[in-house]
Amino acid sequence: MNSKNKGFNTICTHVGEIEDKQFKGAISPIYLSTSYAFEDVDIKRYPRYFNTPNQEALCKKIAQLEKGEASLIFGSGMAAISTALLAFLQKGDHIVLQRTLYGGTANLVNEEFSKYGIEYSFVDNQDVNGFEEKIKENTKVIYIETPSNPLLTITDIKAISVLAKKKGIVTMIDNTFASPVNQNPIELGIDVVIHSATKYLGGHSDILAGAVVSSEENMEQIFHLAKNLGGSLSDFTVWMLERSIKTLGLRVKQQNKNAKKMAKWLEKHDDIQAVYYPGLKSHPDYQLAKSQMKGFGGMLSFELKEGLDASKFQKELRLIKSSMSLAGVESTILSPTLTSHALLTEEERKHQGINNGLLRFSVGIEETEDLIIDIEQALHKIKILELEQ
Ligand SMILES: *Cc1c(COP(=O)(O)O)cnc(C)c1O
């Protein structure tokens, strides 16, 4: 099944499926061959050429989910990001990026780009003027990430794409936190959409993968570099990712609902200092989020009241697990200061609004009543510990 304009969950379940002609099985067979006979001179199938049966099939599904013409799947989110960026940048070019970025992306730019003679500027002020101010003669790419990690700030996707189009600059977005369920940036004028499929697309904390979606023409340019860099995904994992995406809509809609409930509950709680969730009316970017997102996502952050120790609190949680990663069906929590943003200096973290007591909460699909009980018991325990001291 391949036709356009199917509903979201139908695309998730069926688009790109490989028909099992031999046994009429219900799911796509998996083809693990790394060697295929030539079909003709033009089609040479090889996993690193991103064209095995399972890769091609899954790319159709992911492209349709993001309303793009074509897509490629990579061995990790960072393989997708680095390949997409380097496909559009060369020596002497300049890129403008927002400052609040996934740590790995920031490291790629800060640690590698000078080596290749690529200039870069980070934008502090995330409104469109902030981006415009940084654009130079040689600016080739604008790169954004919204909602951002860990404070869930929102960047105006449409304003950025209008600005970039005027100047002939390619726009890229890391759409990982929103997932295609909540945000389709191509509809808002963005050229290249990137996902760490390790997160919501995979959704079960057992797959490392990445994806890029764009026009046929852009994907051709990305493919040319991709086959040389060699960051393709193994077909077994491709097949697992296909299986996972079947429930993408169901999972993320439940996570949206749970995160909103938890954010509202936390916001009213006496022991909580601040809650950062774009679906809360108190979030400074609430209106913007509402205008460009279909749901507000499953990620939120919060700070405990002063005097309550965030790392002790984390240790007392029983159901909610401490975890580096995010977006699985299970709820997880981490301290950005100690993990994802540990490489930044205290000053840089302050500059980005990341306080030491901040906790990033990836809300799963569990019953919110159970998540609330878990948080309450952990708060209760750390308060008793404080009293005993
Ligand atoms: C995890 C993540 C990445 C990197 O993906 P990997 O699959 O770990 O390489 C990029 N962007 C965001 C927003 C992420 O959360």
Side-chain angles (χ1 to χ4, degrees):
M1 202 169 100
N2 224 332
S3 53
K4 294 263 169 189
N5 306 321
K6 290 280 187 298
F8 193 89
N9 281 326
T10 312
I11 298 172
C12 285
T13 324
H14 290 297
V15 167
E17 63 191 350
I18 301 171
E19 197 185 337
D20 176 2
K21 291 202 178 102
Q22 194 176 6
F23 299 110
K24 307 208 182 328
I27 63 160
S28 299
I30 171 170
Y31 295 95
L32 290 172
S33 289
T34 53
S35 178
Y36 292 84
F38 287 156
E39 285 181 30
D40 58 56
V41 279
D42 288 333
I43 303 179
K44 302 180 185 74
R45 287 196 195 278
Y46 187 57
R48 187 167 44 76
Y49 296 163
F50 296 81
N51 62 0
T52 58
N54 290 91
Q55 287 181 83
E56 284 189 342
L58 182 56
C59 285
K60 283 183 196 149
K61 195 195 292 291
I62 293 177
Q64 280 202 28
L65 288 176
E66 276 297 7
K67 324 227 181 247
E69 289 174 4
S71 89
L72 286 177
I73 320 155
F74 291 83
S76 69
M78 282 314 302
I81 291 167
S82 56
T83 308
L85 283 171
L86 293 173
F88 287 92
L89 291 166
Q90 56 187 3
K91 197 171 147 191
D93 288 345
H94 175 250
I95 176 173
V96 177
L97 312 99
Q98 72 181 52
R99 169 115 25 216
T100 47
L101 283 180
Y102 176 72
T105 311
N107 293 345
L108 170 73
V109 172
N110 286 317
E111 294 172 13
E112 312 295 338
F113 273 24
S114 314
K115 276 202 286 215
Y116 301 111
I118 299 165
E119 297 170 29
Y120 51 90
S121 306
F122 288 105
V123 177
D124 285 316
N125 167 11
Q126 235 164 269
D127 70 19
V128 67
N129 297 328
F131 283 86
E132 187 154 22
E133 278 166 19
K134 301 281 184 186
I135 292 174
K136 306 200 291 186
E137 277 290 299
N138 55 344
T139 303
K140 293 288 157 57
V141 176
I142 295 180
Y143 187 97
I144 61 173
E145 186 178 318
T146 178
S148 74
N149 180 18
L151 291 175
L152 295 309
T153 61
I154 306 294
T155 309
D156 189 334
I157 298 173
K158 207 168 196 169
I160 296 296
S161 62
V162 168
L163 167 69
K165 278 210 170 68
K166 240 174 18 196
K167 307 199 179 232
I169 298 169
V170 173
T171 45
M172 296 190 188
I173 186 170
D174 184 331
N175 205 34
T176 301
F177 265 40
S179 91
V181 181
N182 293 323
Q183 188 166 276
N184 295 125
I186 287 175
E187 285 187 327
L188 300 167
I190 292 288
D191 297 310
V192 180
V193 175
I194 308 172
H195 283 279
S196 167
T198 312
K199 313 298 165 51
Y200 287 106
L201 297 182
H204 296 73
S205 309
D206 55 7
I207 288 171
L208 187 81
V212 180
V213 184
S214 190
S215 64
E216 295 273 5
E217 193 186 344
N218 286 340
M219 289 316 300
E220 192 58 38
Q221 186 162 337
I222 292 167
F223 166 71
H224 270 283
L225 178 66
K227 71 179 186 340
N228 291 337
L229 292 181
S232 62
L233 185 63
S234 95
D235 278 294
F236 184 72
T237 315
V238 169
W239 180 83
M240 281 183 69
L241 185 54
E242 184 201 354
R243 192 273 316 267
S244 298
I245 292 177
K246 291 185 190 200
T247 57
L248 174 68
L250 300 181
R251 286 186 277 108
V252 173
K253 277 178 196 155
Q254 184 67 28
Q255 285 167 308
N256 285 346
K257 234 160 110 182
N258 282 3
K260 196 170 192 175
K261 257 196 197 160
M262 294 309 295
K264 283 187 170 163
W265 178 78
L266 286 164
E267 194 175 39
K268 288 204 195 101
H269 201 292
D270 285 341
D271 295 333
I272 306 300
Q273 181 70 40
V275 183
Y276 304 90
Y277 184 64
L280 286 178
K281 292 202 176 80
S282 58
H283 190 287
D285 301 327
Y286 170 73
Q287 287 302 338
L288 179 56
K290 214 171 125 182
S291 73
Q292 67 186 25
M293 300 180 79
K294 294 162 198 172
F296 297 108
M299 299 300 302
L300 63 94
S301 289
F302 61 96
E303 281 167 32
L304 301 184
K305 276 260 155 71
E306 221 177 294
L308 297 176
D309 187 314
S311 57
K312 283 184 190 152
F313 167 76
Q314 225 183 316
K315 286 199 191 92
E316 293 300 338
L317 291 167
R318 292 293 165 263
L319 185 63
I320 303 165
K321 292 176 179 153
S322 284
S323 160
M324 185 72 182
S325 200
L326 58 106
V329 289
E330 66 286 342
S331 290
T332 60
I333 199 159
L334 70 66
S335 153
T337 303
L338 299 178
T339 56
S340 58
H341 294 67
L343 287 178
L344 299 183
T345 62
E346 175 103 29
E347 198 176 315
E348 282 171 322
R349 276 195 297 271
K350 266 228 173 79
H351 187 66
Q352 294 192 22
I354 302 166
N355 295 327
N356 288 341
L358 187 74
L359 291 166
R360 190 190 71 190
F361 187 11
S362 170
V363 183
I365 62 168
E366 302 95 336
E367 303 302 331
T368 44
E369 290 76 9
D370 293 322
L371 299 175
I372 287 172
I373 289 169
D374 194 30
I375 292 175
E376 283 289 21
Q377 67 80 28
L379 284 169
H380 185 70
K381 280 204 192 112
I382 60 165
K383 283 197 279 189
I384 288 174
L385 285 176
E386 301 288 335
L387 286 176
E388 281 171 355
Q389 273 169 9

